[in-house]
Amino acid sequence: MKNNRKHRLRIGFVMDPIRKILYREDTSVSIMEEAGNRGHRIYYIEPKNIFFKAGRLLALANRVRAGLKNGIHVLSEETLDLRSLDIVFNRKDPPFDLSYLYLTQILELLEPDVFVINSPRGVRKANEKLYILSFPQWIPPTIVSNNPVQIARFQREKKIDLILKPLDQKGGTGIALLPYGASDKKRTIGKMTRRGSRWIMAQKYLAQNSTHGDKRILLLNGKVIGAFQRIPKKGEFRSNLSLGGTALPARLTQREKRLIASIRPKLLKDGLYFVGLDVVAGYLIEINVTSPAGIAELIELEGRHPETSVVNFLEA
Ligand SMILES: Nc1ncnc2c1ncn2[C@@H]1O[C@H](COP(=O)(O)OP(=O)(O)OP(=O)(O)O)[C@@H](O)[C@H]1O
Ligand SMILES: [Mg+2]
């Protein structure tokens, strides 16, 4: 980050189109609001408006004022040299496709002059589903494969219900449940792997999820800034809020604290400063690094303001 310019940072938020954002419940908006209140200059940037030309990384950006109550208001439109920013906060949502990969490679050009959070290299390295494989002691029985035969064999050997997940999505998209006794297993696995041509994660379905849901734990610079439980709605096995799940206040268990302590060094080494862990029954099921959410929910549930810690971190 440039010098110690505590006053008036210039912060660019790379995000999905404004019209797709439910601003009242948006974590990026909460951070933009806090940073804006402290006098920092906030730019909203869509990936499609970033371009490299004549040796410079430029973006057609909107200077904005944003708030959870009032939404995002464009103050002016500018062609920005992204190097003129102090911080780029990449908050683009998955799918993690080729375009996303290129986005990380393009933002990486700004380093080390501009602080890019999360580190483009870290975001590439930490596929949100696969990254948990680096912490085998904390995950449920899991197989990653594109081979339907291997996945079916894994289930037969373990005699367990499986949850099948694509590796590039979010919000519960494309996830399927495969009970041990299901009759159409072959069809489901075939569909999920696209007949053996797509890698998926197949994992033991932890039954506690249906009653207690999962816990979203938000970490900033390796430290917990908030956690809440998400209970699936009736008739749904995924607890994602976008699928009707309910958020409830939560405290961390001793086991979860140990889990966090054990993964912290690697997260920080990989430049993953703002992440959301998903934990079911004390087991790590996902590490969200692209655009973790939860701050707006914590404000609503607890009246606390974790976004102040995020902006403190950006200032520091
Ligand atoms: N092994 C598991 N056992 C029980 N439930 C699970 C398991 N894995 C996932 N789930 C349920 O499915 C939901 C979605 O899974 P996961 O968090 O892995 O992907 P995602 O929600 O699509 O990703 P994101 O959090 O980025 O939106 C979880 O919130 C949880 O309720
Ligand atoms: Mg999740």
Side-chain angles (χ1 to χ4, degrees), residues 32-140:
M32 290 164 124
E33 177 169 21
E34 175 64 17
N37 287 344
R38 297 193 197 180
H40 303 309
R41 228 167 232 250
I42 310 300
Y43 293 95
Y44 157 86
I45 303 163
E46 273 183 52
K48 72 164 193 222
N49 291 328
I50 299 176
F51 55 103
F52 189 91
K53 192 175 171 188
R56 297 200 299 163
L57 188 58
L58 304 170
L60 194 62
N62 290 316
R63 219 189 118 201
V64 295
R65 174 117 199 117
L68 288 174
K69 293 212 171 72
N70 301 320
I72 304 178
H73 295 280
V74 176
L75 306 175
S76 61
E77 205 179 78
E78 294 175 29
T79 300
L80 267 189
D81 185 331
L82 292 184
R83 258 179 213 290
S84 73
L85 297 174
D86 298 291
I87 298 164
V88 167
F89 214 137
N90 179 18
R91 295 279 305 162
K92 169 91 185 73
D93 263 331
F96 197 95
D97 51 13
L98 258 187
S99 285
Y100 208 121
L101 173 73
Y102 297 148
L103 176 67
T104 66
Q105 290 168 339
I106 288 165
L107 294 179
E108 198 170 353
L109 297 168
L110 297 169
E111 292 180 329
D113 302 329
V114 181
F115 179 57
V116 185
I117 173 171
N118 282 321
S119 142
R121 200 170 320 119
V123 170
R124 276 202 300 281
K125 184 167 171 183
N127 170 283
E128 295 183 318
K129 298 293 184 296
L130 296 180
Y131 197 53
I132 63 164
L133 303 176
S134 318
F135 311 106
Q137 69 276 35
W138 295 108
I139 69 171

